[in-house]
């Protein structure tokens, strides 16, 4: 019998209309366009401005477009997994809310919290449900409203992040296309270098946590940068080595869009030229769990059936991950 793989049969993304430019950030904090672009590669990012809307709105828009694009009825979906670190609520899950908004009923749905590595973590989970024969159609969503946890008086972090969502449909494939291999890693030693300290069970919301600005994202940029460069490069190189891939075999590197310099270092370690690297950080910034599917969405027209793709990510936790995907269409 042929081995079943979980192939990506469709991709869709969604970003809000509002564009937060570097010029506007110059009016909020002590920064400038040249400084931001030279250090991060970011020129603008999208922000969900409408009150009362959260990550589920972003995710639902992406999934709605995905279902329409692939001519998939909501009743055909067997499972939906949402990768996010900015859930609408502590509970219920953002995946539950996405399903409700789209009329997807009576299926399993849950969230994965692995920060910027979340999409690859969720992809590995979804792929296993397909490979075992348990399910036929699984939706993986990466959705984050990072503006909800941004301190727009902190020039170190507010320049980096934006809002967005991307979604893929996984289906069985017996012709060798799909998710070939995945690697997921974590080390909690770095937790305090990239963290939202307030609002959880350790520091529940109070006047004190609000006054201390603990409900915003806090980052030690230097430590995160060093760890991201090392681990994204290492896990991507390991993925190539264990699957006997040379740089010539790789059609595209699909890296997490955190910082242009991190992306360039990862590509260099893999021996992959920048002409083979998907990048949209200039327009969206870091959308956390949404960056990889948004790249696939932007570059979909350039993908060819059989292309070897290497996904690579690093995020809070610390977490890092890679996936080897053979494109199916």
């Amino acid at each position: 019998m042929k081995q079943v793989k979980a192939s990506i049969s469709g991709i869709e993304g969604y970003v809000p209309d509002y564009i937060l430019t570097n010029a506007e950030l110059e009016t909020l904090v002590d920064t400038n366009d040249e400084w931001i672009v030279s250090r991060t590669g970011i020129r603008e990012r999208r922000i969900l401005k409408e009150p009362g809307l959260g990550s589920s709105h972003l995710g639902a828009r992406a999934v709605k477009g995905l279902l329409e694009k692939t001519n998939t009825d909501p009743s055909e979906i067997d499972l939906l997994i949402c990768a996010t670190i900015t859930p609408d609520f502590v509970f219920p899950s953002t995946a539950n809310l996405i399903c409700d908004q789209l009329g997807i009923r009576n299926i399993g749905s849950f969230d994965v919290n692995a920060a910027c590595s979340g999409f690859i973590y969720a992809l590995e989970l979804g792929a296993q449900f397909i490979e075992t024969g348990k399910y036929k159609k699984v939706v993986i969503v990466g959705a984050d409203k990072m503006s909800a946890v941004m301190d727009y008086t902190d020039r170190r972090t507010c320049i980096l992040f934006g809002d967005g969502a991307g979604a893929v449909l996984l289906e069985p494939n017996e012709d060798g296309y799909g998710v070939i291999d995945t690697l997921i890693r974590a080390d909690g030693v770095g937790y305090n270098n990239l963290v939202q300290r307030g609002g959880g069970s350790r520091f529940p919301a109070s006047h004190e946590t609000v006054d201390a600005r603990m409900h915003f994202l806090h980052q030690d940029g230097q430590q995160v940068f060093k760890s991201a460069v090392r681990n994204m490069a290492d896990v991507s190189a390991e993925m190539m080595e264990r699957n006997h891939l040379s740089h010539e075999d790789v059609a595209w590197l699909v890296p997490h869009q955190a910082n242009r310099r991190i992306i360039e270092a990862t590509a260099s370690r893999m021996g992959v030229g920048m002409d083979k690297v998907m990048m949209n950080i200039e327009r969206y910034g870091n959308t956390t769990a949404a960056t990889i599917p948004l790249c696939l969405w932007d570059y979909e027209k350039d993908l060819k059936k059989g292309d070897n793709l290497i996904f690579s990510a690093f995020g809070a936790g610390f977490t890092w991950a890679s996936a080897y995907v053979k494109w199916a269409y």
Side-chain angles (χ1 to χ4, degrees):
M1 291 180 64
K2 291 184 177 180
Q3 186 176 8
V4 174
K5 293 293 183 184
S7 70
I8 294 175
S9 58
I11 173 74
E12 184 67 12
Y14 174 76
V15 291
D17 293 331
Y18 188 87
I19 299 174
L20 176 59
T21 64
N22 289 347
E24 183 175 350
L25 282 171
E26 289 176 12
T27 69
L28 302 176
V29 291
D30 181 15
T31 191
N32 60 73
D33 178 72
E34 189 278 330
W35 191 92
I36 296 172
V37 174
S38 65
R39 285 162 176 77
T40 69
I42 302 169
R43 295 187 183 276
E44 57 189 41
R45 61 291 289 149
R46 300 299 185 96
I47 303 295
L48 181 60
K49 283 280 195 176
E50 292 81 356
L53 297 180
S55 295
S56 69
H57 172 77
L58 301 170
R61 292 292 294 268
V63 175
K64 182 176 187 293
L66 176 69
L67 299 182
E68 292 172 351
K69 189 175 182 179
T70 58
N71 296 312
T72 303
D73 190 89
S75 65
E76 298 178 59
I77 302 303
D78 299 309
L79 176 70
L80 186 144
I81 307 173
C82 179
T84 186
I85 57 166
T86 53
D88 290 37
F89 312 112
V90 174
F91 59 88
S93 75
T94 301
N96 291 171
L97 303 176
I98 291 171
C99 287
D100 179 60
Q101 291 173 39
L102 298 177
I104 300 174
R105 309 293 179 195
N106 302 315
I107 69 163
S109 63
F110 58 89
D111 289 354
V112 169
N113 179 343
C116 301
S117 306
F119 180 79
I120 299 178
Y121 270 62
L123 184 72
E124 177 172 27
L125 287 170
Q128 292 186 42
F129 281 103
I130 295 288
E131 291 169 3
T132 62
K134 177 78 173 181
Y135 296 131
K136 298 297 184 186
K137 292 181 186 290
V138 174
V139 172
I140 307 297
V141 194
D144 271 301
K145 182 185 176 183
M146 294 304 295
S147 62
V149 294
M150 282 300 102
D151 181 352
Y152 285 100
T153 68
D154 180 2
R155 67 176 183 173
R156 299 167 300 175
T157 58
C158 71
I159 64 172
L160 300 173
F161 294 91
D163 304 338
V168 299
L169 178 63
L170 297 180
E171 297 188 83
N173 185 288
E174 295 184 350
D175 297 321
Y177 303 106
V179 180
I180 306 300
D181 195 9
T182 52
L183 286 167
I184 59 173
R185 299 282 188 266
D187 187 348
V189 71
Y191 86 92
N192 209 35
N193 293 315
L194 183 50
V195 62
Q196 181 187 339
R197 296 188 179 95
S201 58
R202 187 180 295 194
F203 298 108
S206 66
H207 285 295
E208 289 76 15
T209 63
V210 172
D211 291 343
R213 309 185 78 78
M214 293 173 64
H215 297 269
F216 295 121
L217 177 149
H218 292 268
Q219 175 174 275
D220 182 332
Q222 187 174 19
Q223 289 301 318
V224 172
F225 181 86
K226 289 179 181 178
S227 297
V229 168
R230 181 179 68 254
N231 289 306
M232 273 184 66
D234 285 352
V235 76
S236 302
E238 182 182 351
M239 179 60 72
M240 291 174 65
E241 290 167 8
R242 65 190 254 153
N243 288 281
H244 311 292
L245 296 171
S246 72
H247 66 90
E248 295 175 346
D249 298 320
V250 176
W252 292 100
L253 168 63
V254 191
H256 168 54
Q257 307 288 297
N259 181 299
R260 184 182 179 92
R261 291 182 294 170
I262 295 173
I263 294 170
E264 290 172 344
T266 302
S268 176
R269 172 71 187 280
M270 295 169 62
V272 173
M274 291 303 293
D275 60 324
K276 289 185 172 184
V277 179
M278 293 189 186
M279 249 194 325
N280 56 17
I281 189 171
E282 181 180 80
R283 293 183 292 124
Y284 302 142
N286 183 350
T287 55
T288 309
T291 65
I292 288 176
L294 282 176
C295 273
L296 294 173
W297 178 51
D298 273 355
Y299 282 80
E300 184 181 20
K301 66 181 184 303
D302 298 317
L303 292 169
K304 301 179 182 64
K305 187 174 183 178
D307 277 354
N308 292 320
L309 278 56
I310 301 293
F311 300 174
S312 181
F314 177 88
F318 289 139
T319 64
W320 59 101
S322 181
Y324 167 29
V325 174
K326 189 174 284 290
W327 198 250
Y329 66 93

